[in-house]
Amino acid sequence: MEKDKAVLSWNEGKIKTLIVETLRGLSQVLLIENAISGMIILLAITIASYKLAIIAFISSLIGTLVAQKGRADGDGLSKGLFGYNSVLTGLALFMFLSGPNDWIIALFGAAAAAILTAVMMFWMRNTKIPILTAPYILLTWSMLLVSYRLKSFQLSQDLVPQSLAHWKLNIKGEINWIEGAVSGLSQIFFIDHTAAGVLLFAAVIVAGWRYALFAVLGNVIALFTAYWLGGEHTLIYEGHYGYNAILAAIAAAYVFRDKKGGIPHLLSGIIAAFLTVPLTASLDTWLMPYGLPALTMPFVFTTWIILLVRKVLPGL
Amino acid sequence: MEKDKAVLSWNEGKIKTLIVETLRGLSQVLLIENAISGMIILLAITIASYKLAIIAFISSLIGTLVAQKGRADGDGLSKGLFGYNSVLTGLALFMFLSGPNDWIIALFGAAAAAILTAVMMFWMRNTKIPILTAPYILLTWSMLLVSYRLKSFQLSQDLVPQSLAHWKLNIKGEINWIEGAVSGLSQIFFIDHTAAGVLLFAAVIVAGWRYALFAVLGNVIALFTAYWLGGEHTLIYEGHYGYNAILAAIAAAYVFRDKKGGIPHLLSGIIAAFLTVPLTASLDTWLMPYGLPALTMPFVFTTWIILLVRKVLPGL
Amino acid sequence: MEKDKAVLSWNEGKIKTLIVETLRGLSQVLLIENAISGMIILLAITIASYKLAIIAFISSLIGTLVAQKGRADGDGLSKGLFGYNSVLTGLALFMFLSGPNDWIIALFGAAAAAILTAVMMFWMRNTKIPILTAPYILLTWSMLLVSYRLKSFQLSQDLVPQSLAHWKLNIKGEINWIEGAVSGLSQIFFIDHTAAGVLLFAAVIVAGWRYALFAVLGNVIALFTAYWLGGEHTLIYEGHYGYNAILAAIAAAYVFRDKKGGIPHLLSGIIAAFLTVPLTASLDTWLMPYGLPALTMPFVFTTWIILLVRKVLPGL
């Protein structure tokens, strides 16, 4: 309550800055620093579910406020870098938990994500490798597993632990290629809604045509690679393989483009998107006994490896 | 045998120093550097089980001797910093293994713990974050799992691997709040004995009233948080959630108190104790397929995060 | 195809250098830098299976070419340090996968191993600890698990995930000590063939009698330690405990011999070989729910610990 009052006592400029940073936090989920994109993303989520949109906005706000109150170092705050992990954590916990307390736990998670973001930024400072969505992933996995031991955390029925010994891979079924074309981008925000998918694409175009190009490219490569390597058809068209590929393609080909020599950026993005497919399959298996989703970990691992390769193998 | 002779040939002063360092090693389990506290702890363990007390003392002695013989760097030796991981490893292996060889394996583990302590201290030197009980935990987990493949390691019947798929959380049953009040401190040493619990509290008071204050505070917060979040009632009053909270509260609020500005130490200790509860629940789940206990890992993670937050978010 | 032409257009000297580096890559699997040893190793693999030998040679070649094309730093290339992880990854994937695509995946893995080798070398540069076979292990584990989700990866029937809850240790059965004497060295290359084992030993002798001494010593210690601690008899004589001990003994006692003072090299090698046995047992258990083999991870962990101990505890 005191924090609310403090916010109100600020002058208008400060509130405006806070809103802009919060919206940038939303856009940073797609590696974009653009408040307009953030607003369109928020609109897209609202179409799919207004509750989810509220969680997303408040999560980004909480992340930004925590970093501001904590006096986080550098210019990450104004770029929205303390918002995106909070947005994703809030959304994931709200989606994968059920029961009356899920939104409280989600917002608590959003605050914790901002803190973990600051900690990991410091921790990985010397490597000069970005933390990406690692704080969100580690925190969400840990918080979802709490549900097995504390009654107030209720896990959604979708997450089912399975023994590898009893697992049978069944890839049968038609692929809905049209649904596949838009589902990848929506999956990042845990939504499954065609109009929302189109709006998310608009958010990407606003930020620059290159973002849009690599998003499409990443998704297409993931669809065909996963099909070619024999992934489960329902997972493919639901965007299960697409969302990590989109993020990895954008990251490798455009956002972290400090590349000199070696293979061109476009090829780099294609390779990144391709690699996320087996990595997603591998991580799905590692997590199967725990019933946890891979989230954006394949994107994180792929991007880290691509960025490190540029450092150590400049000829590639 | 040669080592024994060498010890005897020392002058009295050297033996006295060795005993003091060994007792300090015992007290460092509770983050205390005080030989008197160490002696009272030894007495408390003796009341519960004289065998356990012998293992605890010899483990600390072995840890100290290994570090001394190895010429470990710095002043850690005189502070007892090479004893506490050995004490805990010796106790844990003795408790969780059975069969005729358990004490040999326990003492071998104590020696290995001192070596791993030195290695991890070096490894984490640049982070300026203390290793806490991490060597003990990693070593004990690894050594307990040996029992599934080598006949001479016999696991206690208490440690049962369980599939998450078949796990049902049952929190029913009365809570014995009085037992809960003393069980937390004893659980650190794997004992379950009221008089011993009271003596351990005396060991804490001797070291300073602030230690005692934060020990009580940590335990109370863990009891109520675990109850409020819906933990299993038997686990709660047996101190399962309390012991990590006690250590985290002492560490965050008192031992590592190089805090300037931000939230006060007391609040910092309360938050630390609170955080250990969901972290304990999460770690219990991660380890369920292996049937391993969380040991003091929730305390380690919580304290590391709190200390890193102080560095990177000075406003918190 | 373009690469092939480029290779042919080189002058003879460059091709010769490439072949020598490729053979050194094969010998580096045994921590040896010697093209003659590499050639004998290739011959030994050929005796057991010519297909496996082709995979081994091409994998080493691919690893070397990737590092060359990527302009890897330092003199690792000429020493064959970009070949051995590729050799092992190629062999392991070819052995543990089945189906028509296994050799394509194996060679893709060999290229990825060289890249991961460069990344991990950079990443661990400051620790001054060698990466050993860590890239191979992490990559092979990850790629084997892909088989549970993508149809084109077909896992061999040998790798069966098992719940710890249903596991019964059965150590009954005779030990074939003679088979045990030669199986350790062959296991490193996933082969089980007496004449091949003898040839591998010749490859070791060519590199120096000390290599041979520590290989024998490591194997003998592993056989007796595993028997004494109660390991499964079939695993013991098949070399399951021996191959890590051989590598660890060679590494600790001879290859990384920058030791001053403390216990002598010979004892250091004996301790290393001994430690790999419980470590193998522990890792086998950790990986049991995933049905993954421990590969050479016990050797990696043991050697890392021994090398770090020399830094931090110079008296040992």
Side-chain angles (χ1 to χ4, degrees):
Chain A
M1 295 297 271
E2 282 191 348
K3 180 159 291 170
D4 288 351
K5 270 191 241 164
V7 170
L8 292 175
S9 69
W10 285 352
N11 60 44
E12 247 179 71
K14 279 195 178 164
I15 293 179
K16 211 179 133 190
T17 306
L18 184 66
I19 299 293
V20 167
E21 286 168 2
T22 299
L23 292 172
R24 278 188 193 147
L26 276 155
S27 70
Q28 283 287 2
V29 171
L30 299 175
L31 299 135
I32 292 167
E33 180 188 334
N34 187 320
I36 310 290
S37 290
M39 221 182 288
I40 303 175
I41 289 169
L42 200 58
L43 195 63
I45 303 176
T46 310
I47 291 178
S49 153
Y50 75 95
K51 277 187 194 169
L52 218 50
I54 295 172
I55 292 286
F57 183 78
I58 301 184
S59 293
S60 188
L61 185 67
I62 286 176
T64 308
L65 284 172
V66 164
Q68 187 178 289
K69 171 93 178 90
R71 295 201 303 279
D73 210 22
D75 58 352
L77 197 57
S78 70
K79 289 181 176 169
L81 293 186
F82 288 97
Y84 70 97
N85 275 298
S86 295
V87 169
L88 287 167
T89 306
L91 289 176
L93 290 175
F94 189 70
M95 288 303 290
F96 292 125
L97 292 177
S98 61
N101 312 310
D102 58 355
W103 65 274
I104 305 175
I105 298 170
L107 296 183
F108 175 85
I115 289 169
L116 201 56
T117 298
V119 165
M120 286 194 72
M121 273 180 182
F122 172 79
W123 194 46
M124 290 182 59
R125 200 168 43 170
N126 295 326
T127 64
K128 302 206 191 294
I129 296 292
I131 57 163
L132 305 173
T133 51
Y136 141 64
I137 298 162
L138 297 177
L139 188 64
T140 302
W141 283 346
S142 298
M143 287 182 75
L144 290 177
L145 287 190
V146 170
S147 59
Y148 288 86
R149 312 291 307 211
L150 297 176
K151 210 76 180 175
S152 54
F153 283 62
Q154 286 174 35
L155 203 62
S156 138
Q157 302 293 329
D158 299 344
L159 301 181
V160 183
Q162 277 181 293
S163 167
L164 265 67
H166 305 125
W167 169 255
K168 285 271 168 266
L169 179 60
N170 180 359
I171 68 167
K172 293 228 177 74
E174 287 297 299
I175 293 194
N176 185 336
W177 292 101
I178 292 163
E179 190 179 334
V182 292
S183 59
L185 216 45
S186 331
Q187 273 291 349
I188 300 172
F189 297 93
F190 306 99
I191 55 184
D192 187 10
H193 191 285
T194 311
V198 174
L199 255 182
L200 285 175
F201 195 68
V204 170
I205 291 180
V206 165
W209 66 268
R210 281 189 190 82
Y211 278 104
L213 171 69
F214 292 117
V216 171
L217 191 73
N219 199 32
V220 168
I221 288 167
L223 281 175
F224 288 106
T225 306
Y227 181 74
W228 173 57
L229 293 177
E232 288 164 85
H233 292 177
T234 44
L235 289 183
I236 291 174
Y237 71 75
E238 283 171 0
H240 181 78
Y241 288 101
Y243 71 96
N244 275 294
I246 291 172
L247 293 173
I250 293 176
Y254 187 57
V255 177
F256 304 107
R257 60 182 177 280
D258 60 341
K259 198 164 158 31
K260 295 161 199 80
I263 59 169
H265 282 108
L266 180 67
L267 186 55
S268 180
I270 290 172
I271 292 172
F274 171 80
L275 286 178
T276 59
V277 174
L279 248 170
T280 300
S282 185
L283 266 162
D284 282 345
T285 312
W286 280 113
L287 296 166
M288 212 188 281
Y290 296 101
L292 291 174
L295 303 176
T296 48
M297 205 52 159
F299 147 66
V300 172
F301 279 153
T302 303
T303 310
W304 282 351
I305 288 170
I306 296 265
L307 295 183
L308 282 167
V309 166
R310 286 187 191 160
K311 261 185 220 271
V312 297
L313 294 171
L316 290 187
Chain B
M1 296 297 272
E2 281 191 346
K3 183 159 286 168
D4 288 348
K5 269 190 241 165
V7 171
L8 292 175
S9 71
W10 285 352
N11 59 46
E12 249 179 71
K14 281 196 176 161
I15 294 179
K16 213 181 130 189
T17 306
L18 183 66
I19 299 293
V20 167
E21 285 169 1
T22 300
L23 291 172
R24 278 188 192 145
L26 277 155
S27 70
Q28 283 287 3
V29 172
L30 299 174
L31 299 135
I32 292 168
E33 180 189 333
N34 187 320
I36 309 290
S37 291
M39 222 183 288
I40 303 176
I41 289 169
L42 200 59
L43 194 63
I45 303 176
T46 310
I47 291 178
S49 153
Y50 75 96
K51 279 187 193 168
L52 218 50
I54 295 172
I55 292 287
F57 183 80
I58 300 183
S59 293
S60 188
L61 185 66
I62 287 175
T64 308
L65 283 172
V66 164
Q68 187 178 288
K69 171 90 178 92
R71 294 199 306 275
D73 211 23
D75 58 352
L77 197 58
S78 70
K79 288 181 177 171
L81 293 185
F82 288 97
Y84 70 96
N85 275 299
S86 295
V87 169
L88 287 167
T89 305
L91 289 176
L93 290 175
F94 189 70
M95 288 302 291
F96 292 126
L97 292 177
S98 61
N101 311 310
D102 58 354
W103 66 274
I104 304 175
I105 299 169
L107 295 184
F108 176 85
I115 289 170
L116 201 56
T117 297
V119 166
M120 288 194 70
M121 273 180 181
F122 172 78
W123 195 45
M124 292 181 60
R125 201 168 43 171
N126 294 326
T127 63
K128 301 204 191 295
I129 295 292
I131 57 163
L132 304 173
T133 51
Y136 142 65
I137 299 163
L138 297 177
L139 187 63
T140 302
W141 283 345
S142 297
M143 287 183 74
L144 290 177
L145 288 189
V146 170
S147 58
Y148 288 86
R149 312 290 307 210
L150 297 176
K151 210 77 181 174
S152 55
F153 284 60
Q154 287 175 33
L155 204 62
S156 137
Q157 302 293 328
D158 299 344
L159 299 181
V160 184
Q162 276 181 293
S163 166
L164 265 67
H166 304 125
W167 170 256
K168 285 272 168 264
L169 179 60
N170 180 358
I171 68 167
K172 292 229 179 75
E174 287 297 300
I175 293 193
N176 185 337
W177 293 101
I178 292 165
E179 191 179 333
V182 292
S183 59
L185 216 45
S186 331
Q187 273 290 351
I188 300 172
F189 296 93
F190 305 99
I191 54 184
D192 188 9
H193 191 286
T194 312
V198 174
L199 255 181
L200 285 175
F201 195 69
V204 171
I205 291 181
V206 164
W209 64 270
R210 281 189 189 81
Y211 278 103
L213 171 69
F214 292 118
V216 171
L217 191 73
N219 199 32
V220 168
I221 288 167
L223 282 174
F224 286 106
T225 306
Y227 181 75
W228 174 57
L229 294 177
E232 287 164 85
H233 292 178
T234 45
L235 289 183
I236 293 173
Y237 71 75
E238 283 171 359
H240 182 78
Y241 289 101
Y243 71 94
N244 275 294
I246 290 172
L247 293 173
I250 292 176
Y254 187 56
V255 176
F256 304 108
R257 61 183 179 279
D258 60 341
K259 199 165 156 34
K260 296 163 200 76
I263 60 168
H265 282 109
L266 181 67
L267 186 54
S268 181
I270 291 172
I271 292 171
F274 172 80
L275 287 177
T276 58
V277 174
L279 247 171
T280 300
S282 184
L283 266 163
D284 282 345
T285 313
W286 280 112
L287 297 166
M288 212 187 283
Y290 296 101
L292 291 174
L295 302 177
T296 48
M297 206 52 160
F299 147 66
V300 172
F301 279 153
T302 303
T303 309
W304 281 351
I305 289 170
I306 296 264
L307 295 184
L308 283 167
V309 166
R310 286 187 192 160
K311 261 185 220 271
V312 297
L313 295 171
L316 289 187
Chain C
M1 295 299 271
E2 281 190 348
K3 181 158 291 168
D4 288 349
K5 269 189 241 162
V7 171
L8 291 175
S9 70
W10 284 352
N11 59 46
E12 246 180 72
K14 279 195 178 165
I15 293 179
K16 211 181 132 189
T17 306
L18 184 65
I19 299 292
V20 168
E21 286 169 1
T22 300
L23 291 172
R24 278 189 192 145
L26 276 156
S27 70
Q28 282 288 1
V29 171
L30 298 175
L31 299 134
I32 291 167
E33 180 189 333
N34 187 320
I36 309 290
S37 291
M39 220 182 289
I40 303 176
I41 289 170
L42 201 59
L43 194 65
I45 304 176
T46 310
I47 292 179
S49 153
Y50 76 95
K51 278 188 194 168
L52 218 50
I54 295 171
I55 292 287
F57 183 78
I58 301 183
S59 293
S60 188
L61 185 67
I62 288 175
T64 308
L65 284 172
V66 165
Q68 187 179 289
K69 170 93 179 91
R71 294 201 303 278
D73 211 21
D75 57 353
L77 196 57
S78 69
K79 288 182 178 170
L81 294 185
F82 288 98
Y84 70 97
N85 275 297
S86 296
V87 170
L88 287 167
T89 306
L91 289 177
L93 291 174
F94 188 71
M95 288 302 290
F96 292 125
L97 293 177
S98 61
N101 312 309
D102 57 355
W103 66 276
I104 305 174
I105 298 169
L107 296 184
F108 176 86
I115 290 169
L116 201 57
T117 297
V119 166
M120 287 194 71
M121 273 182 181
F122 172 79
W123 194 45
M124 290 181 60
R125 199 169 42 172
N126 294 325
T127 63
K128 301 207 191 294
I129 296 292
I131 57 163
L132 304 173
T133 52
Y136 141 64
I137 300 163
L138 298 176
L139 188 64
T140 303
W141 283 346
S142 298
M143 288 184 73
L144 290 177
L145 289 189
V146 170
S147 59
Y148 288 86
R149 313 290 307 211
L150 297 175
K151 210 75 179 175
S152 54
F153 284 61
Q154 287 174 36
L155 202 62
S156 138
Q157 303 293 328
D158 298 344
L159 300 181
V160 183
Q162 277 181 293
S163 167
L164 265 67
H166 305 125
W167 170 256
K168 285 271 167 268
L169 179 60
N170 180 359
I171 67 168
K172 291 226 179 76
E174 287 296 299
I175 293 193
N176 185 338
W177 292 102
I178 292 165
E179 190 179 334
V182 293
S183 59
L185 215 45
S186 330
Q187 274 290 349
I188 300 172
F189 295 93
F190 305 100
I191 53 184
D192 188 9
H193 190 285
T194 310
V198 174
L199 255 181
L200 285 175
F201 194 68
V204 171
I205 290 181
V206 164
W209 65 270
R210 281 189 189 82
Y211 278 104
L213 170 69
F214 292 117
V216 171
L217 190 73
N219 199 33
V220 168
I221 289 168
L223 282 175
F224 287 106
T225 306
Y227 181 75
W228 173 56
L229 293 177
E232 288 163 85
H233 292 178
T234 44
L235 290 182
I236 292 174
Y237 72 75
E238 283 170 0
H240 182 77
Y241 288 101
Y243 71 96
N244 275 293
I246 290 172
L247 294 173
I250 292 176
Y254 186 57
V255 177
F256 304 107
R257 60 183 179 279
D258 60 341
K259 199 164 157 33
K260 295 162 198 77
I263 59 169
H265 282 108
L266 180 68
L267 186 55
S268 181
I270 291 171
I271 292 171
F274 172 80
L275 286 177
T276 58
V277 174
L279 248 171
T280 300
S282 186
L283 266 161
D284 281 344
T285 312
W286 280 113
L287 296 166
M288 211 189 283
Y290 296 101
L292 291 173
L295 303 176
T296 48
M297 205 51 158
F299 148 63
V300 173
F301 279 153
T302 303
T303 309
W304 282 351
I305 289 171
I306 297 265
L307 295 184
L308 283 168
V309 166
R310 287 186 191 161
K311 262 186 219 270
V312 298
L313 294 171
L316 289 187

